[in-house]
Amino acid sequence: MMVMREPRLGEPPPERAAERPVHPGEREVVDFDGLYHAHFRSLTLQLAAYCGDLSQAQDLVQEAFCRAFARWSRVSRYDDPVAWVRRVAWNLATSRWRRLRTAQSWLHRQREEHVPGPGPDRVALNAALAQLPTTQRRAVVLHYLADLSVGQIAEQEGVPEGTVKSWLHRGRAALAVRLATTNEVNNHD
């Protein structure tokens, strides 16, 4: 009875005494365990340098070896099975990076932006504008917030310029009264 101990990380695989001879024209069959033990560490270091994370690199190389093991009857006949495992590991790293980038982009689009509420002056102005008649409110908003001239407002509303001037004058006067009242109420608090 022959007792075999498990090879340790960094050690070369044990020599096989009873390997079958390779005949001319026949490719040598590669041992999965030997390939794994001989190349896991170097592939992990390569991926760690690429990813910047040793544990992630170990997971990626482990997954690449798992995929190689599942296809070992085919992979073992390649000229360089390590190259296949390396390519799979790098592809996994790239795919993971792309998934993370897509997820971060999606999360960024889903993020709520918290905008501070309107200040007390804005609330008072909105309340005062809401109390104006529609024509005066529209004239004040178009003139002072949209920066339209009296002529442009008159053309848009289909009225003479004198009518727009009248709406603006009455609107400003009503706003002044309402905003002054609001300021007096706020100052007495």
Side-chain angles (χ1 to χ4, degrees), residues 3-68:
V3 177
M4 299 284 291
R5 72 172 176 84
E6 289 291 317
R8 295 184 184 153
L9 186 64
E11 282 184 6
E15 294 297 323
R16 306 274 188 220
E19 287 187 13
R20 70 179 185 89
V22 177
H23 299 289
E26 183 181 311
R27 240 181 230 173
E28 182 180 344
V29 177
V30 180
D31 178 35
F32 180 81
D33 291 338
L35 183 81
Y36 180 86
H37 289 291
H39 297 284
F40 181 82
R41 184 175 180 169
S42 65
L43 290 175
T44 300
L45 292 175
Q46 292 170 24
L47 265 292
Y50 178 63
C51 300
D53 183 3
L54 180 62
S55 64
Q56 178 185 338
Q58 289 171 336
D59 290 344
L60 294 170
V61 172
Q62 184 69 33
E63 176 63 25
F65 272 111
C66 287
R67 291 182 183 192

Side-chain angles (χ1 to χ4, degrees), residues 129-179:
L129 281 170
Q131 293 175 359
L132 293 179
T134 307
T135 54
Q136 292 176 13
R137 181 177 349 136
R138 192 167 38 240
V140 169
V141 168
L142 290 175
H143 187 70
Y144 292 103
L145 299 179
D147 289 329
L148 295 182
S149 68
V150 172
Q152 290 170 321
I153 297 170
E155 185 180 319
Q156 179 178 324
E157 298 298 313
V159 295
E161 288 185 22
T163 303
V164 173
K165 290 178 185 178
S166 166
W167 290 343
L168 286 172
H169 175 74
R170 291 180 188 149
R172 281 190 298 254
L175 282 175
V177 170
R178 287 184 176 92
L179 290 176

